[in-house]
Amino acid sequence: MFSSAVSGALASWSLIVAVGPQNAFVLRQGLARQHVGLVIAVCAVADCLLILAGNLGIGALVTALPWLTDVLRWGGAAYLVWFACQSFRSAWAAEGLHAGDGARGASAVLATTLTITLLNPGVYLDTVALLGTLAHQAEHAWSFSLGAMAASVIWFVGLGTGARALAPLAASPRAWRVVDTVIGVVVLVLALRLALAH
């Protein structure tokens, strides 16, 4: 059981560590110190529910319906382009932030976090379909999934709270320009790859 849990954790980390809009948003909120706990909780709970869905076999549905994958792919690409444009706009108007400055309301942060998490087609293909398939290939499917869930929680907690160590950078407009520009470029590349995927 333990080896299945470790396999699940490693599989989860291999998928989640890649830079994407969700990780970029968690990092940005951590740097700005705005509703970090809320963002971490939503990302971790959503990931755990999606891993659970994959274990329960819903990943087979995603795999069996090619048109659903296409809808997710094009919707996700369009969303990522919008997200990249928002990042470039933020970079253009970058100002230094101090804890509490320019704080957004919890409901706006919640809506953005849910959108970034659930409108990303990769989350359904990786977290639901791939981790679900790997769980059923493991010796103990539930141990594999619990290991994957634990890894997800550890990742988001570490990313969100670890960003606080870089908080002094948040006071520099130049640092925010770099952060937002890099996020915009990465997300735009992801959108292009998604649009060109077959």
Short mmCIF file of all heavy atoms in Angstrom, two decimals, residues 1 3-5 7-9 11-12 15 50-59 126-149:
data_model
loop_
_atom_site.label_atom_id
_atom_site.label_comp_id
_atom_site.label_asym_id
_atom_site.label_seq_id
_atom_site.Cartn_x
_atom_site.Cartn_y
_atom_site.Cartn_z
N MET A 1 0.83 -1.20 0.00
CA MET A 1 0.00 0.00 0.00
C MET A 1 0.87 1.26 0.00
O MET A 1 0.55 2.23 -0.68
CB MET A 1 -0.93 0.01 1.21
CG MET A 1 -2.05 -1.03 1.12
SD MET A 1 -3.10 -1.08 2.58
CE MET A 1 -3.88 0.51 2.49
N SER A 3 3.92 1.66 -1.14
CA SER A 3 4.57 1.88 -2.43
C SER A 3 3.59 2.46 -3.46
O SER A 3 3.96 3.29 -4.29
CB SER A 3 5.19 0.59 -2.96
OG SER A 3 4.20 -0.39 -3.19
N SER A 4 2.32 2.05 -3.38
CA SER A 4 1.31 2.61 -4.28
C SER A 4 1.08 4.09 -3.97
O SER A 4 0.94 4.92 -4.89
CB SER A 4 -0.02 1.85 -4.13
OG SER A 4 0.10 0.55 -4.63
N ALA A 5 1.07 4.44 -2.67
CA ALA A 5 0.89 5.84 -2.27
C ALA A 5 2.05 6.70 -2.75
O ALA A 5 1.86 7.81 -3.25
CB ALA A 5 0.74 5.93 -0.75
N SER A 7 4.00 6.03 -5.31
CA SER A 7 3.86 6.13 -6.77
C SER A 7 2.84 7.18 -7.16
O SER A 7 3.05 7.96 -8.10
CB SER A 7 3.44 4.77 -7.36
OG SER A 7 4.43 3.81 -7.14
N GLY A 8 1.73 7.23 -6.42
CA GLY A 8 0.71 8.24 -6.68
C GLY A 8 1.23 9.64 -6.44
O GLY A 8 0.96 10.56 -7.22
N ALA A 9 2.00 9.82 -5.35
CA ALA A 9 2.56 11.14 -5.04
C ALA A 9 3.53 11.58 -6.13
O ALA A 9 3.47 12.73 -6.60
CB ALA A 9 3.27 11.10 -3.68
N ALA A 11 3.67 10.56 -9.26
CA ALA A 11 2.93 10.82 -10.51
C ALA A 11 2.24 12.17 -10.45
O ALA A 11 2.26 12.94 -11.41
CB ALA A 11 1.91 9.71 -10.74
N SER A 12 1.65 12.48 -9.31
CA SER A 12 0.95 13.76 -9.13
C SER A 12 1.93 14.92 -9.25
O SER A 12 1.67 15.90 -9.95
CB SER A 12 0.26 13.79 -7.77
OG SER A 12 -0.42 15.00 -7.58
N LEU A 15 3.08 15.84 -12.74
CA LEU A 15 2.09 16.55 -13.55
C LEU A 15 1.85 17.97 -13.07
O LEU A 15 1.60 18.88 -13.86
CB LEU A 15 0.76 15.79 -13.54
CG LEU A 15 0.77 14.40 -14.19
CD1 LEU A 15 -0.55 13.69 -13.93
CD2 LEU A 15 1.05 14.51 -15.68
N LEU A 50 -10.87 16.03 -8.30
CA LEU A 50 -10.62 15.55 -9.66
C LEU A 50 -9.87 14.22 -9.65
O LEU A 50 -10.14 13.34 -10.47
CB LEU A 50 -9.83 16.60 -10.45
CG LEU A 50 -10.63 17.88 -10.79
CD1 LEU A 50 -9.70 18.99 -11.25
CD2 LEU A 50 -11.69 17.59 -11.84
N ILE A 51 -8.93 14.05 -8.72
CA ILE A 51 -8.22 12.77 -8.57
C ILE A 51 -9.22 11.69 -8.15
O ILE A 51 -9.19 10.56 -8.66
CB ILE A 51 -7.07 12.90 -7.56
CG1 ILE A 51 -5.97 13.79 -8.13
CG2 ILE A 51 -6.50 11.53 -7.19
CD1 ILE A 51 -4.91 14.22 -7.11
N LEU A 52 -10.12 12.04 -7.24
CA LEU A 52 -11.17 11.11 -6.81
C LEU A 52 -12.05 10.71 -7.99
O LEU A 52 -12.37 9.53 -8.17
CB LEU A 52 -12.01 11.75 -5.70
CG LEU A 52 -13.24 10.97 -5.23
CD1 LEU A 52 -12.81 9.66 -4.57
CD2 LEU A 52 -14.07 11.81 -4.26
N ALA A 53 -12.41 11.69 -8.81
CA ALA A 53 -13.24 11.41 -9.99
C ALA A 53 -12.53 10.44 -10.93
O ALA A 53 -13.14 9.52 -11.48
CB ALA A 53 -13.57 12.71 -10.72
N GLY A 54 -11.22 10.64 -11.10
CA GLY A 54 -10.45 9.74 -11.95
C GLY A 54 -10.43 8.32 -11.40
O GLY A 54 -10.58 7.35 -12.14
N ASN A 55 -10.30 8.20 -10.08
CA ASN A 55 -10.29 6.88 -9.45
C ASN A 55 -11.64 6.18 -9.61
O ASN A 55 -11.71 4.98 -9.77
CB ASN A 55 -9.95 7.01 -7.96
CG ASN A 55 -9.65 5.66 -7.31
OD1 ASN A 55 -10.37 4.69 -7.51
ND2 ASN A 55 -8.60 5.61 -6.52
N LEU A 56 -12.71 6.97 -9.61
CA LEU A 56 -14.05 6.41 -9.74
C LEU A 56 -14.42 6.08 -11.19
O LEU A 56 -15.53 5.65 -11.47
CB LEU A 56 -15.09 7.37 -9.14
CG LEU A 56 -14.97 7.57 -7.62
CD1 LEU A 56 -15.94 8.65 -7.15
CD2 LEU A 56 -15.23 6.26 -6.88
N GLY A 57 -13.48 6.34 -12.11
CA GLY A 57 -13.69 5.94 -13.50
C GLY A 57 -14.21 7.01 -14.42
O GLY A 57 -14.50 6.74 -15.59
N ILE A 58 -14.34 8.24 -13.93
CA ILE A 58 -14.87 9.31 -14.79
C ILE A 58 -13.86 9.67 -15.89
O ILE A 58 -14.23 10.19 -16.94
CB ILE A 58 -15.26 10.53 -13.94
CG1 ILE A 58 -16.41 10.12 -13.00
CG2 ILE A 58 -15.65 11.72 -14.78
CD1 ILE A 58 -16.83 11.16 -12.01
N GLY A 59 -12.58 9.36 -15.65
CA GLY A 59 -11.57 9.61 -16.68
C GLY A 59 -11.88 8.88 -17.97
O GLY A 59 -11.57 9.36 -19.06
N ASP A 126 -4.99 15.17 -17.51
CA ASP A 126 -3.91 14.70 -16.63
C ASP A 126 -4.45 14.17 -15.31
O ASP A 126 -4.26 13.01 -14.96
CB ASP A 126 -2.91 15.82 -16.35
CG ASP A 126 -2.10 16.21 -17.59
OD1 ASP A 126 -2.10 15.42 -18.55
OD2 ASP A 126 -1.49 17.28 -17.58
N THR A 127 -5.14 15.05 -14.57
CA THR A 127 -5.56 14.69 -13.22
C THR A 127 -6.66 13.64 -13.20
O THR A 127 -6.61 12.71 -12.40
CB THR A 127 -6.04 15.96 -12.47
OG1 THR A 127 -5.05 16.98 -12.61
CG2 THR A 127 -6.25 15.69 -11.00
N VAL A 128 -7.64 13.78 -14.08
CA VAL A 128 -8.76 12.82 -14.08
C VAL A 128 -8.41 11.58 -14.89
O VAL A 128 -8.40 10.46 -14.37
CB VAL A 128 -10.05 13.47 -14.61
CG1 VAL A 128 -11.19 12.46 -14.62
CG2 VAL A 128 -10.44 14.67 -13.76
N ALA A 129 -8.12 11.75 -16.19
CA ALA A 129 -7.93 10.59 -17.07
C ALA A 129 -6.61 9.86 -16.77
O ALA A 129 -6.62 8.64 -16.54
CB ALA A 129 -7.97 11.03 -18.53
N LEU A 130 -5.49 10.58 -16.76
CA LEU A 130 -4.20 9.91 -16.60
C LEU A 130 -4.01 9.34 -15.20
O LEU A 130 -3.68 8.17 -15.03
CB LEU A 130 -3.06 10.87 -16.95
CG LEU A 130 -1.65 10.28 -16.87
CD1 LEU A 130 -1.52 9.06 -17.77
CD2 LEU A 130 -0.61 11.32 -17.25
N LEU A 131 -4.23 10.18 -14.16
CA LEU A 131 -4.06 9.67 -12.79
C LEU A 131 -5.09 8.59 -12.47
O LEU A 131 -4.81 7.65 -11.73
CB LEU A 131 -4.14 10.81 -11.77
CG LEU A 131 -2.91 11.73 -11.69
CD1 LEU A 131 -3.11 12.80 -10.62
CD2 LEU A 131 -1.64 10.96 -11.43
N GLY A 132 -6.29 8.72 -13.05
CA GLY A 132 -7.31 7.68 -12.85
C GLY A 132 -6.88 6.35 -13.45
O GLY A 132 -7.03 5.30 -12.84
N THR A 133 -6.32 6.43 -14.66
CA THR A 133 -5.84 5.21 -15.32
C THR A 133 -4.67 4.59 -14.55
O THR A 133 -4.63 3.37 -14.32
CB THR A 133 -5.37 5.54 -16.76
OG1 THR A 133 -6.48 6.08 -17.48
CG2 THR A 133 -4.87 4.29 -17.47
N LEU A 134 -3.73 5.44 -14.12
CA LEU A 134 -2.58 4.95 -13.36
C LEU A 134 -3.01 4.34 -12.02
O LEU A 134 -2.43 3.34 -11.57
CB LEU A 134 -1.58 6.08 -13.12
CG LEU A 134 -0.83 6.58 -14.36
CD1 LEU A 134 0.03 7.79 -13.99
CD2 LEU A 134 0.03 5.48 -14.97
N ALA A 135 -4.03 4.93 -11.41
CA ALA A 135 -4.52 4.40 -10.13
C ALA A 135 -5.03 2.98 -10.30
O ALA A 135 -4.76 2.10 -9.47
CB ALA A 135 -5.63 5.30 -9.57
N HIS A 136 -5.74 2.73 -11.38
CA HIS A 136 -6.30 1.39 -11.60
C HIS A 136 -5.27 0.37 -12.08
O HIS A 136 -5.51 -0.82 -12.03
CB HIS A 136 -7.50 1.47 -12.55
CG HIS A 136 -8.69 2.10 -11.91
ND1 HIS A 136 -9.47 1.45 -10.98
CD2 HIS A 136 -9.20 3.36 -12.01
CE1 HIS A 136 -10.42 2.27 -10.55
NE2 HIS A 136 -10.28 3.43 -11.16
N GLN A 137 -4.11 0.89 -12.49
CA GLN A 137 -3.02 -0.01 -12.85
C GLN A 137 -2.14 -0.34 -11.64
O GLN A 137 -1.36 -1.29 -11.67
CB GLN A 137 -2.16 0.60 -13.96
CG GLN A 137 -2.87 0.69 -15.30
CD GLN A 137 -2.07 1.44 -16.34
OE1 GLN A 137 -1.04 2.04 -16.04
NE2 GLN A 137 -2.54 1.41 -17.57
N ALA A 138 -2.26 0.48 -10.58
CA ALA A 138 -1.47 0.27 -9.37
C ALA A 138 -2.01 -0.92 -8.58
O ALA A 138 -3.16 -1.33 -8.75
CB ALA A 138 -1.49 1.53 -8.50
N GLU A 139 -1.18 -1.43 -7.70
CA GLU A 139 -1.59 -2.58 -6.89
C GLU A 139 -2.74 -2.22 -5.95
O GLU A 139 -3.66 -3.00 -5.74
CB GLU A 139 -0.40 -3.11 -6.09
CG GLU A 139 -0.66 -4.42 -5.39
CD GLU A 139 0.57 -4.95 -4.67
OE1 GLU A 139 1.67 -4.38 -4.85
OE2 GLU A 139 0.42 -5.93 -3.92
N HIS A 140 -2.67 -1.01 -5.40
CA HIS A 140 -3.73 -0.53 -4.50
C HIS A 140 -4.20 0.84 -5.03
O HIS A 140 -3.56 1.86 -4.78
CB HIS A 140 -3.21 -0.38 -3.07
CG HIS A 140 -2.71 -1.66 -2.48
ND1 HIS A 140 -3.57 -2.63 -2.01
CD2 HIS A 140 -1.45 -2.14 -2.31
CE1 HIS A 140 -2.85 -3.65 -1.56
NE2 HIS A 140 -1.56 -3.38 -1.74
N ALA A 141 -5.32 0.83 -5.76
CA ALA A 141 -5.80 2.04 -6.43
C ALA A 141 -6.07 3.18 -5.47
O ALA A 141 -5.71 4.33 -5.72
CB ALA A 141 -7.06 1.73 -7.24
N TRP A 142 -6.70 2.89 -4.32
CA TRP A 142 -7.04 3.97 -3.39
C TRP A 142 -5.80 4.54 -2.71
O TRP A 142 -5.73 5.74 -2.46
CB TRP A 142 -8.06 3.50 -2.36
CG TRP A 142 -9.43 3.47 -2.95
CD1 TRP A 142 -10.16 2.39 -3.30
CD2 TRP A 142 -10.22 4.62 -3.30
NE1 TRP A 142 -11.36 2.78 -3.87
CE2 TRP A 142 -11.42 4.14 -3.87
CE3 TRP A 142 -10.03 6.00 -3.21
CZ2 TRP A 142 -12.42 4.99 -4.34
CZ3 TRP A 142 -11.03 6.84 -3.67
CH2 TRP A 142 -12.21 6.35 -4.22
N SER A 143 -4.82 3.69 -2.43
CA SER A 143 -3.56 4.18 -1.85
C SER A 143 -2.85 5.10 -2.85
O SER A 143 -2.32 6.15 -2.48
CB SER A 143 -2.64 3.02 -1.47
OG SER A 143 -3.21 2.25 -0.44
N PHE A 144 -2.87 4.71 -4.12
CA PHE A 144 -2.27 5.53 -5.19
C PHE A 144 -2.95 6.90 -5.22
O PHE A 144 -2.28 7.94 -5.23
CB PHE A 144 -2.43 4.83 -6.53
CG PHE A 144 -1.82 5.58 -7.69
CD1 PHE A 144 -0.54 5.27 -8.13
CD2 PHE A 144 -2.52 6.59 -8.34
CE1 PHE A 144 0.03 5.96 -9.20
CE2 PHE A 144 -1.97 7.28 -9.40
CZ PHE A 144 -0.69 6.97 -9.83
N SER A 145 -4.28 6.91 -5.21
CA SER A 145 -5.02 8.17 -5.29
C SER A 145 -4.81 9.03 -4.05
O SER A 145 -4.69 10.25 -4.15
CB SER A 145 -6.51 7.90 -5.51
OG SER A 145 -6.71 7.34 -6.79
N LEU A 146 -4.77 8.41 -2.88
CA LEU A 146 -4.53 9.17 -1.64
C LEU A 146 -3.13 9.78 -1.65
O LEU A 146 -2.93 10.91 -1.20
CB LEU A 146 -4.73 8.28 -0.42
CG LEU A 146 -6.19 7.90 -0.12
CD1 LEU A 146 -6.26 6.88 1.01
CD2 LEU A 146 -7.02 9.13 0.21
N GLY A 147 -2.15 9.03 -2.18
CA GLY A 147 -0.80 9.58 -2.31
C GLY A 147 -0.77 10.76 -3.26
O GLY A 147 -0.10 11.78 -3.00
N ALA A 148 -1.52 10.65 -4.37
CA ALA A 148 -1.59 11.75 -5.34
C ALA A 148 -2.27 12.98 -4.72
O ALA A 148 -1.82 14.12 -4.94
CB ALA A 148 -2.36 11.29 -6.58
N MET A 149 -3.31 12.76 -3.93
CA MET A 149 -4.00 13.87 -3.26
C MET A 149 -3.07 14.55 -2.26
O MET A 149 -3.02 15.80 -2.20
CB MET A 149 -5.25 13.36 -2.54
CG MET A 149 -6.37 12.92 -3.44
SD MET A 149 -7.76 12.27 -2.46
CE MET A 149 -8.70 11.44 -3.71
#
